């Protein structure tokens, strides 16, 4: 993205050959430097990050900034307005599963290709803000690269360590917005906070504080030193989908530590008859889980990972 000295402006990024747009705010400081993109709304009903970027765009000014900050307020803006089920409403696809996309594909694939060519290829860092899905509860955690080049993984882990999230999760994913950035040589993270479609003030403020701390730690803001946090490291994440449809009765809460073989929850029929029991395959911590009573075969049920070490 072309650097323009000492500016702040609202921009509307148009995705070629579609009617889709991405509302954004561009801030360029008095001195040229690196570029960071901070995104929200890849999933349209994950509201904490979207609200955090609205407020950050109002607060930040060019005289506070070194280099360039691009705030992508809502990547799936049409889905946000229509309250779609965290997919792009034009074709029902999950944007975070379509990278690198294709310029002659479906609407979602065109959107992914646009983000790949215009954002990932023109930034030095990426921070992608997420929440639990519309029916998911979670403990705040951050994902960092585990499947990119070693130096990119190390830089990604450093960015994650600048957040106040208790758990840092090493991820082997390759095809999401942030994980594809890693494949392209751009250190990136996902910061997860909030869920169940709720907009809670303390969670918005925590996201704002974490993004500002990242910006300080990477040299984009010089108003204060970056804070240091302690974290628990998580690896070998297990992301389980429901093996049956029915009623879901979790036995744990996000953030609970678990032992191998421990009962995580049960699925029962609408008549209360047991259908299946879910047991932990390893000791670790619950990261997120479905919070609704209803659950459908093949949909997200519970995720947990193995605790590694404290840093």
């Amino acid at each position: 993205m072309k650097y323009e000295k000492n500016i702040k402006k609202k921009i509307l990024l148009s995705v070629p050959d579609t009617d889709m747009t991405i509302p954004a705010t561009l801030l360029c400081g008095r001195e040229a430097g690196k570029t960071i993109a901070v995104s929200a709304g890849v999933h349209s009903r994950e509201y904490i990050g979207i609200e955090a970027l609205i407020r950050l765009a109002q607060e930040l000014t060019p005289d506070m900034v070194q280099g360039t900050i691009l705030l992508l307020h809502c990547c799936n803006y049409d889905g946000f307005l229509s309250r779609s089920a965290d997919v792009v409403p034009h074709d029902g696809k999950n944007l975070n599963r379509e990278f690198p996309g294709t310029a002659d594909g479906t609407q979602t694939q065109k959107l992914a290709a646009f983000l790949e060519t215009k954002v990932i290829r023109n930034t030095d860092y990426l921070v992608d803000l997420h929440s639990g899905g519309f029916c998911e509860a979670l403990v705040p955690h951050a994902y960092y690269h585990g499947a990119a080049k070693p130096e990119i993984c190390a830089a990604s882990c450093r960015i994650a360590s600048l957040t106040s999230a208790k758990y840092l999760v090493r991820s082997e994913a390759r095809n999401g917005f942030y994980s594809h950035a890693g494949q392209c040589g751009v250190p990136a993270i996902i910061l997860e906070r909030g869920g169940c479609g709720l907009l809670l003030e303390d969670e918005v403020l925590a996201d704002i504080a974490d993004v500002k701390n990242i910006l300080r730690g990477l040299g984009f803001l010089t108003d204060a030193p970056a804070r240091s946090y302690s974290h628990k490291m998580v690896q070998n994440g297990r992301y389980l989908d429901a093996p049956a449809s029915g009623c879901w009765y979790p036995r744990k809460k996000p953030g609970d530590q678990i032992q191998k073989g421990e009962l995580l929850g049960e699925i029962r029929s609408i008549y209360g008859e047991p259908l299946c029991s879910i047991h932990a395959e390893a000791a670790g911590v619950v990261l997120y889980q479905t919070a609704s009573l209803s659950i459908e075969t093949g949909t997200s049920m519970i995720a947990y990972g193995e605790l590694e070490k404290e840093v």
Side-chain angles (χ1 to χ4, degrees), residues 132-293:
F134 207 62
C135 294
E136 283 180 345
L138 58 75
V139 63
H141 59 282
Y143 292 98
Y144 68 95
H145 299 312
K149 293 180 179 179
E151 64 272 19
I152 302 301
C153 292
S156 173
C157 186
R158 176 173 177 262
I159 298 170
S161 73
L162 291 167
T163 74
S164 60
K166 184 174 182 179
Y167 299 99
L168 306 186
V169 186
R170 179 181 173 91
S171 171
E172 304 300 321
R174 296 173 182 268
N175 72 335
F177 188 18
Y178 109 98
S179 49
H180 181 68
Q183 301 303 302
C184 296
V186 176
I189 67 164
I190 285 180
L191 175 58
E192 296 270 9
R193 178 177 282 114
C196 296
L198 299 176
L199 185 63
L200 300 179
E201 181 69 6
D202 60 338
E203 293 175 339
V204 173
L205 293 177
D207 253 16
I208 291 171
D210 278 350
V211 172
K212 289 170 70 175
N213 202 57
I214 290 169
L215 294 174
R216 290 171 181 137
L218 296 178
F220 291 94
L221 294 181
T222 58
D223 59 325
R227 291 187 59 182
S228 297
Y229 298 97
S230 61
H231 304 87
K232 292 183 181 295
M233 309 302 288
V234 179
Q235 61 182 350
N236 299 327
R238 290 168 167 82
Y239 308 95
L240 307 185
D241 294 334
S245 297
C247 301
W248 164 239
Y249 297 93
R251 293 294 185 90
K252 298 294 179 180
K253 299 186 300 295
D256 282 354
Q257 294 193 22
I258 56 176
Q259 299 301 316
K260 184 176 181 179
E262 193 170 1
L263 180 65
L264 301 180
E266 302 173 280
I267 298 177
R268 303 175 192 163
S269 76
I270 197 65
Y271 299 103
E273 301 160 334
L275 297 178
C276 56
S277 298
I278 310 302
H279 295 266
E281 297 179 353
V285 60
V286 177
L287 299 171
Y288 62 83
Q289 65 187 16
T290 291
S292 63
L293 176 62

Side-chain angles (χ1 to χ4, degrees), residues 29-30 59-66 212 220-223:
R30 295 183 182 278
E59 177 184 349
L60 298 179
T61 59
D63 62 301
M64 301 166 64
V65 174
Q66 174 78 31
K212 289 170 70 175
F220 291 94
L221 294 181
T222 58
D223 59 325

Side-chain angles (χ1 to χ4, degrees), residues 15-63:
V15 181
D17 298 322
T18 77
D19 295 327
M20 291 184 290
T21 58
I22 302 173
T25 298
L26 178 67
L27 293 115
C28 299
R30 295 183 182 278
E31 301 294 335
K34 292 190 174 184
T35 297
I36 186 170
V38 187
S39 58
V42 166
H43 293 138
S44 52
R45 299 184 298 183
E46 298 180 2
Y47 298 132
I48 300 302
I50 296 171
E51 176 63 17
L53 292 193
I54 290 171
R55 298 192 198 180
L56 272 170
Q58 295 171 331
E59 177 184 349
L60 298 179
T61 59
D63 62 301

Side-chain angles (χ1 to χ4, degrees), residues 22 72 95 98-103 108-123 126 176-177 180-181 183-184 186:
I22 302 173
L72 298 169
L95 174 60
E98 296 299 327
F99 285 86
T102 174
T108 305
Q109 290 165 345
K110 290 177 180 178
L111 176 56
F114 176 80
L115 289 169
E116 200 258 4
T117 57
K118 298 300 182 181
V119 176
I120 291 175
R121 299 289 180 179
N122 291 284
T123 195
L126 172 66
F177 188 18
H180 181 68
Q183 301 303 302
C184 296
V186 176

Side-chain angles (χ1 to χ4, degrees), residues 293-305:
L293 176 62
S294 64
I295 200 163
E296 185 179 8
T297 303
T299 60
S300 177
M301 181 177 57
I302 190 169
Y304 60 96

